[in-house]
Amino acid sequence: GQSLEQPSEVTAVEGAIVQINCTYQTSGFYGLSWYQQHDGGAPTFLSYNGLDGLEETGRFSSFLSRSDSYGYLLLQELQMKDSASYFCAVLNDYKLSFGAGTTVTVRA
Amino acid sequence: EAGVVQSPRYKIIEKKQPVAFWCNPISGHNTLYWYRQNLGQGPELLIRYENEEAVDDSQLPKDRFSAERLKGVDSTLKIQPAELGDSAVYLCASSHGFGTGPNEQFFGPGTRLTVL
């Protein structure tokens, strides 16, 4: 089996930095993806880490440590539109298995 | 480029009734996925197609759920009969083939099913 752990909720103010941690247990691990989902909307792809290290895409960065079975998503310069749920997902056997998600609330 | 299209967006049915969901993936995407998302949870894979072949249906409750992807393009997911516990959002996603494909999936808006 497999499991993913991520915090259920995070609240921060505009302009702040938020880090969402994700720890996982799985076999046949290929990589870690992150998705964003606004309330009532479709999940949208943010980033993927297949190798250890940091991937940066604009205000969002994602990190992976295979040896620690750990990754994180870093949201910088938070904006109100970043209020959403964020899911980490492990890729193995050509499929994604999602965590329960972290709800990020950005306050003015 | 048009995104993944799903219909209907919402469906309310009585328990024991049948229901079907339809998905049109992004043109050229040979891999299609159906997920179920319960409130406050992440999407859970039900079935994955490579072209018209169901290559992973291990999590599909086959006693009441069925799916097809004729001609390797559109797909339908059916529940018959529906149970109260089937109330959820049913998401369709598509991606390119293996390589960078599976980690970057494109999701449709989903069908929100309510079973009364």
Side-chain angles (χ1 to χ4, degrees), chain A residues 33 35 37 42 48 94-95 99, chain B residues 37 42-43 56 98 103 105 107-108:
Chain A
S33 288
Y35 283 76
Q37 186 177 32
Y48 173 73
Y94 310 111
K95 66 183 181 184
Chain B
Q37 185 174 25
D56 184 355
F98 186 65
N103 49 287
Q105 297 179 20
F107 284 81

Side-chain angles (χ1 to χ4, degrees), chain B residues 61-100:
Chain B
K62 298 181 185 63
D63 57 334
R64 298 184 299 108
F65 286 64
S66 64
E68 61 182 11
R69 191 184 184 197
L70 301 176
K71 301 181 182 179
V73 182
D74 295 4
S75 177
T76 57
L77 177 69
K78 299 178 182 178
I79 308 174
Q80 182 170 11
E83 297 179 351
L84 295 177
D86 296 330
S87 294
V89 176
Y90 290 83
L91 294 162
C92 178
S94 68
S95 71
H96 294 292
F98 186 65
T100 60

Side-chain angles (χ1 to χ4, degrees), chain A residues 12-74:
Chain A
V13 297
E14 273 187 299
I17 299 173
V18 161
Q19 179 172 315
I20 303 171
N21 298 320
C22 175
T23 57
Y24 59 87
Q25 287 186 315
T26 187
S27 57
F29 177 82
Y30 286 122
L32 191 70
S33 288
W34 289 90
Y35 283 76
Q36 177 192 61
Q37 186 177 32
H38 287 97
D39 204 25
T44 56
F45 173 80
L46 290 178
S47 68
Y48 173 73
N49 294 73
L51 301 173
D52 284 359
L54 190 68
E55 294 283 341
E56 298 180 83
T57 309
R59 294 186 296 113
F60 296 176
S61 303
S62 59
F63 172 83
L64 175 66
S65 169
R66 285 172 167 264
S67 60
D68 295 321
S69 298
Y70 163 77
Y72 67 72
L73 179 70
L74 193 70

Side-chain angles (χ1 to χ4, degrees), chain B residues 7 10 27 33 43 87 92:
Chain B
S7 68
Y10 304 91
S27 177
Y33 314 79
S87 294
C92 178

